Amino acid sequence: MKNILITGGAGFIGSHVVRLFVRKYPEYRIVNLDKLTYAGNLANLRDIEHEPNYTFVREDICNYDAILDIMRRHKIDGVIHLAAESHVDRSIKDPFTFARTNVMGTLSLLQAAKTYWNGDWEGKRFYHISTDEVYGALEMTHPEGIPAPFTTKASTGEDHCAYGESFFTEDLKYMPHSPYSASKASSDHFVRAFHDTYGLPTIVTNCSNNYGPYQFPEKLIPLFINNIRHRRPLPVYGKGENVRDWLYVEDHARAIDCIFHHGKEAETYNIGGFNEWKNIDIIKVVIKTVDRLLGRPEGADMDLITYVTDRAGHDMRYAIDSRKLQRELGWEPSLQFEEGIEKTVKWYLDNQEWMDNITSGDYEKYYEEMYKGR
Ligand code: NAD
Ligand code: DAU
């Protein structure tokens, strides 16, 4: 029996982690703690919300007293911490909210775990989910692409290449550029400080861009799928040349499961897709896939591409070297990108109601009603 607190479980990645743990470990009790900000959506968990080993608690991670109380009440012995403000563009407009949630919220969780466990670390684990953006940006030394120096069974597709010789490894110095990545870097430092100072059994992972079902449609892939469907312009920042390393969200959830159970205390693991793409190339794949699945001539919507002012401080290239995780724990991505993007586009087109509820704001009104007076 284990009692696990998953924070941010109503968000994109968190909902996949909650689903995986609730289904795979009926003997565990899973407590999903989420504030239900604009990004939290309980509809992401409809299929498991009545499972006997699942509990939802609406709370703010910054509320230290409430978190300590929840940890005591549910006898929590493992924390998987995903709750965060996660969108770079929002952090540029409102950095305070990012410092509050990502830094102070993480600190409040760490302090609550330290107080509740009170030095009895046996069987305990505090697992903090972070991002590759803390490392800053990599150089784009090969804009035309070179054969990728390492591959997995999931990255053998024709387009698989790298745009530079350098990769994010676990020993790199942190060089965050956006308020979002600066807040995540700060939270990572606090997690490690709690291990080094108090002995809290921590673990940190830094992952690349995720894609898949249930992602909030402010992020590139779901936003563009929805815009293409409605034939709205697709705002491509700058020249669309920036490179991201994409990982299917269920593969990230599998990595989290593997690391939570088998990762070494105090270690850092990078998680990535071995799958670099320039934004403009990924956008073209998404357009063709949406067109085909909607029965439109493939590529008919290319004219929706609209180049707009670049994001301030836009990092040029991210590419993860996750060979440590592959070597030490045997994890690697399972899904080829071509397969993953097809599944993803199909999911958004088949789940229009989910998308329309969000874009109409109906789901926020629903929570306000449900939690009135609490
Ligand atoms: P998301 O924005 O979809 O979900 C975040 C969740 O956290 C939401 O359910 C929200 O309601 C909740 N939350 C926000 N503030 C809270 C608070 N103060 N108290 C309690 N709950 C709060 O984010 P995501 O994309 O699923 O990312 C999850 C985590 O993974 C984040 O820590 C993010 O930094 C990290 N990450 C994301 C990616 C990615 O590509 N999306 C990649 C690497 C790492
Ligand atoms: O690398 C991991 C990170 O990936 C996570 O830590 C973040 O939480 C997650 O949001 C994501 O950050 P990005 O900034 O890379 O994701 P986003 O979907 O916002 O943008 C992907 C790329 O597409 C980026 O280069 C900016 C570009 N873009 C994005 C949007 C929303 C556009 O060109 N137009 C857009 O409208």
Side-chain angles (χ1 to χ4, degrees), residues 11-13 34-35 37 40 60-61 82 86 130 180 184 208 210:
F12 166 48
I13 302 171
D34 199 297
K35 183 183 175 184
T37 65
D60 186 336
I61 52 167
L82 296 112
S86 68
S130 192
Y180 162 69
K184 291 296 290 187
S208 63
N210 285 214

Side-chain angles (χ1 to χ4, degrees), residues 132 138-150 154-155 157-168 208-209 241-247 272-282 316-321 337-338:
D132 60 355
L138 292 166
E139 280 193 47
M140 178 111 151
T141 47
H142 296 278
E144 299 313 318
I146 48 170
F150 33 79
S155 53
E158 273 174 30
D159 293 320
H160 187 62
C161 68
Y163 291 98
E165 276 119 0
S166 51
F167 294 86
F168 291 142
S208 63
N209 284 62
E241 299 271 293
N242 303 64
V243 169
R244 296 288 180 269
D245 171 359
W246 294 91
L247 176 68
F274 298 94
N275 180 38
E276 289 180 52
W277 283 78
K278 282 186 187 171
N279 290 343
I280 192 65
D281 294 335
I282 229 173
M316 195 61 212
R317 172 174 170 252
Y318 301 149
I320 282 265
D321 179 345
F337 185 68
E338 291 73 5

Side-chain angles (χ1 to χ4, degrees), residues 297-316:
E298 212 174 275
D301 288 315
M302 290 291 177
D303 60 348
L304 296 175
I305 292 177
T306 309
Y307 292 94
V308 299
T309 310
D310 208 353
R311 172 185 276 173
H314 198 173
D315 286 335
M316 195 61 212

